Amino acid sequence: MKKILIVEDDKDIANLISEALTSQGFKTYLVNSLAQAYSFLIQSLVDLVVLDLILPDGDGIELLKYLRFSSKFSNIPVVIVSARGAELDRVLGLELGADDYVVKPFSLRELVIRIKKILKNKDFPLSQVRVGPLLLDKEKKTIFLEDNPLNLTPTEYKILEVFMENPEKVFSRDELSNHIWALEREYYSRVLDAYICRLRDKLGEYGELIETVRGFGYRLKKPA
Amino acid sequence: MKKILIVEDDKDIANLISEALTSQGFKTYLVNSLAQAYSFLIQSLVDLVVLDLILPDGDGIELLKYLRFSSKFSNIPVVIVSARGAELDRVLGLELGADDYVVKPFSLRELVIRIKKILKNKDFPLSQVRVGPLLLDKEKKTIFLEDNPLNLTPTEYKILEVFMENPEKVFSRDELSNHIWALEREYYSRVLDAYICRLRDKLGEYGELIETVRGFGYRLKKPA
DNA sequence: CTCTTTTGTTAAAATTTTGTTAAATTTTTG
DNA sequence: CAAAAATTTAACAAAATTTTAACAAAAGAG
């Protein structure tokens, strides 16, 4: 069940939103200030945040910024719900990475539709992804290279999976590590480099599909 | 390059949208009726449709339905742009599978952001900056010169990035150094000059885009 | 024009980053 | 529990980048 955090200081509005979402099968959590939002997020991962901009202890935009610049939370979708409908606000919110911006008064039904749409895009359960000669089959937990299954260890598989879901994107070692191990290492480790080396090996003549971007990290090239 | 079909009978609005999108690197096609839209879509696949609802030969919703129920076109994103802002219309549009619904009058900037956001879900690089013949793609950590990727070292990349984010601005060597190395050097170094030299080299005929402001520092010219 | 200062240019030294591999350690499996 | 597999470490090699430093060229002042 998808978890949604509602950050809204107006009790009535918060309850309305909450009911609308609950009736659609979401689990909701209500907080009414920035401070509460921060502490809630730290201890519990949610799937989406509904964010009011005008809060008793500050501007909701701050929370949006915080989420976007955090490596851990940067991909939690945020829907802004605000009485501030000025173009400047909308543009600012969207540019900072809000996934949608709904101006009050809005219809609950519309809000729910928009939220569903966003979450649907998120976990597009497309079970097969193709990148050049590689084919990722999530059902089978197998990656094929020109129709031959690669013999990968679990971690090797995860790394290549992340790459294939984001072809062309450059991952820093940290970013990649966070995806693979879900925890930050406090010390400097070269495990990842070792894996990249072995992956290239297993990709044989296609080894150079994994490109090192010196000073930044690695990426999976998508052949033209 | 992403192709966008604009279905809009008001010439002025159509042109405005078209310009805004073109300036951001999209290729646009304009049609002013449902009939034209159908025939265009059949012969040419586009990446997204901007759809006005009120058209001379019918309701844009019909086109949306057609696209959604067609197996071939069902995953082309549709953004509705309409003067009909009533909740009923919005909900109907979104429920039929429109990816966004923008009510007139709207800001072009907002429309462009929303469109980019939708296409990004389909793996479109959102973070792009264009200055003259240069294109900075942060996602790919690559700078293109007339569509050819430049082969830059990390520091060269950073310098050009700072320039591209502040075209025309004159940077003193100190200021630039602080941006690049984040620390002040206590002794006088000419590293930066060496980098500028190599950057100009790599920019080839466009080398003089990086201009020396004698006695002050450097800047990146933005051609008219 | 001549001198002085600033900037351009370049090769080589110094440093940093990445590749590679084997062995040590940990985890999983039978 | 033992064997196998997988992960991690650590060390050295290779490659690329950064920095220095020296000289050349250009610009400005008088």
Side-chain angles (χ1 to χ4, degrees):
Chain A
M1 190 185 292
K2 296 283 175 184
K3 287 172 283 184
I4 298 182
L5 176 65
I6 301 168
V7 186
E8 163 70 73
D9 62 327
D10 182 320
K11 272 255 156 56
D12 294 333
I13 295 182
N15 282 329
L16 281 172
I17 297 177
S18 173
E19 276 166 29
L21 289 172
T22 306
S23 80
Q24 295 297 305
F26 296 100
K27 176 113 189 66
T28 58
Y29 304 91
L30 276 60
V31 299
N32 51 43
S33 70
L34 280 181
Q36 281 181 35
Y38 285 117
S39 60
F40 186 93
L41 283 165
I42 287 164
Q43 48 175 282
S44 171
L45 265 187
V46 298
D47 298 289
L48 186 141
V49 175
V50 174
L51 181 63
D52 185 14
L53 289 191
I54 300 159
L55 293 164
D57 56 347
D59 193 320
I61 286 286
E62 294 308 315
L63 180 61
L64 175 61
K65 277 190 207 162
Y66 168 74
L67 290 174
R68 283 298 166 264
F69 290 117
S70 132
S71 64
K72 193 169 166 196
F73 301 124
S74 64
N75 47 10
I76 298 180
V78 173
V79 174
I80 293 179
V81 157
S82 168
R84 299 211 307 251
E87 187 206 322
L88 188 65
D89 286 305
R90 297 205 307 269
V91 168
L92 183 65
L94 291 169
E95 286 201 332
L96 279 172
D99 293 76
D100 209 335
Y101 195 115
V102 184
V103 177
K104 292 180 187 173
F106 54 88
S107 107
L108 285 173
R109 196 156 159 216
E110 182 181 351
L111 180 65
V112 170
I113 294 176
R114 287 183 182 265
I115 285 175
K116 280 188 178 173
K117 213 173 270 292
I118 289 164
L119 287 174
K120 195 178 161 198
N121 279 332
K122 264 297 180 227
D123 36 29
F124 212 77
L126 198 58
S127 61
Q128 284 200 349
V129 181
R130 196 179 284 277
V131 178
L134 291 166
L135 176 70
L136 162 66
D137 189 321
K138 293 195 189 181
E139 303 262 313
K140 296 184 184 153
K141 290 257 181 258
T142 308
I143 298 175
F144 297 85
L145 176 62
E146 287 188 330
D147 301 330
N148 304 114
L150 286 170
N151 185 17
L152 303 175
T153 71
T155 308
E156 286 166 358
Y157 174 85
K158 267 185 231 161
I159 293 175
L160 201 45
E161 181 185 43
V162 171
F163 273 139
M164 290 189 66
E165 281 170 344
N166 303 276
E168 296 285 292
K169 175 179 155 103
V170 177
F171 287 91
S172 72
R173 290 184 173 68
D174 271 356
E175 206 177 347
L176 207 45
S177 297
N178 289 342
H179 273 97
I180 308 300
W181 291 281
L183 52 84
E184 321 236 346
R185 284 166 196 270
E186 59 288 350
Y187 60 97
Y188 181 69
S189 160
R190 301 269 322 273
V191 209
L192 196 58
D193 299 57
Y195 272 110
I196 295 288
C197 178
R198 253 168 299 158
L199 265 175
R200 282 176 172 153
D201 213 45
K202 294 194 176 178
L203 291 183
E205 59 173 317
Y206 292 104
E208 49 201 43
L209 280 181
I210 299 178
E211 202 175 58
T212 117
V213 182
R214 213 154 219 272
F216 294 108
Y218 300 97
R219 72 162 173 178
L220 183 69
K221 257 192 302 190
K222 182 160 60 180
Chain B
M1 190 184 290
K2 296 285 174 179
K3 288 172 282 184
I4 298 182
L5 176 65
I6 301 169
V7 187
E8 164 68 76
D9 63 327
D10 183 320
K11 272 254 156 56
D12 294 333
I13 295 181
N15 282 330
L16 281 173
I17 297 177
S18 172
E19 276 166 30
L21 290 171
T22 305
S23 80
Q24 295 297 306
F26 297 99
K27 175 114 190 62
T28 58
Y29 304 91
L30 276 61
V31 300
N32 51 41
S33 70
L34 280 181
Q36 281 181 35
Y38 285 118
S39 61
F40 187 93
L41 282 165
I42 287 165
Q43 47 175 283
S44 171
L45 265 187
V46 297
D47 297 290
L48 187 143
V49 175
V50 174
L51 179 63
D52 185 14
L53 289 191
I54 301 161
L55 293 163
D57 55 348
D59 193 321
I61 286 288
E62 295 306 315
L63 179 61
L64 175 61
K65 277 191 206 160
Y66 168 75
L67 290 175
R68 284 298 166 264
F69 290 118
S70 132
S71 64
K72 191 171 169 194
F73 302 122
S74 62
N75 47 9
I76 298 180
V78 173
V79 174
I80 293 178
V81 157
S82 168
R84 299 212 307 250
E87 188 207 321
L88 187 65
D89 285 305
R90 298 206 308 268
V91 168
L92 183 64
L94 291 169
E95 285 202 331
L96 278 172
D99 292 78
D100 210 335
Y101 195 113
V102 184
V103 177
K104 292 180 188 173
F106 55 88
S107 110
L108 285 173
R109 197 154 161 220
E110 182 181 350
L111 180 64
V112 169
I113 293 175
R114 285 183 181 267
I115 285 175
K116 281 186 175 176
K117 217 173 264 293
I118 289 165
L119 287 174
K120 195 191 169 190
N121 282 329
K122 312 224 166 210
D123 222 343
F124 184 77
L126 183 57
S127 45
Q128 288 194 344
V129 181
R130 201 180 281 274
V131 178
L134 290 167
L135 176 71
L136 161 66
D137 188 321
K138 293 194 188 181
E139 188 106 338
K140 291 186 184 158
K141 293 259 186 260
T142 306
I143 298 175
F144 296 85
L145 176 63
E146 287 189 329
D147 299 329
N148 302 114
L150 286 170
N151 186 16
L152 303 176
T153 71
T155 308
E156 286 165 0
Y157 174 86
K158 270 184 231 160
I159 294 174
L160 200 46
E161 181 184 41
V162 171
F163 274 138
M164 290 188 67
E165 281 170 344
N166 304 277
E168 296 286 295
K169 173 180 156 110
V170 179
F171 287 92
S172 72
R173 289 184 173 68
D174 271 356
E175 204 178 349
L176 207 43
S177 296
N178 290 342
H179 272 97
I180 308 300
W181 289 281
L183 53 84
E184 321 239 346
R185 285 165 196 271
E186 57 289 352
Y187 59 98
Y188 182 68
S189 160
R190 300 271 321 277
V191 209
L192 195 58
D193 300 57
Y195 273 111
I196 295 290
C197 175
R198 253 167 301 160
L199 264 177
R200 282 174 173 154
D201 210 46
K202 293 194 176 178
L203 290 182
E205 59 174 316
Y206 291 103
E208 48 202 42
L209 281 179
I210 300 178
E211 204 175 55
T212 302
V213 182
R214 205 155 223 272
F216 294 105
Y218 301 97
R219 72 161 175 173
L220 182 69
K221 259 191 301 190
K222 180 159 63 180

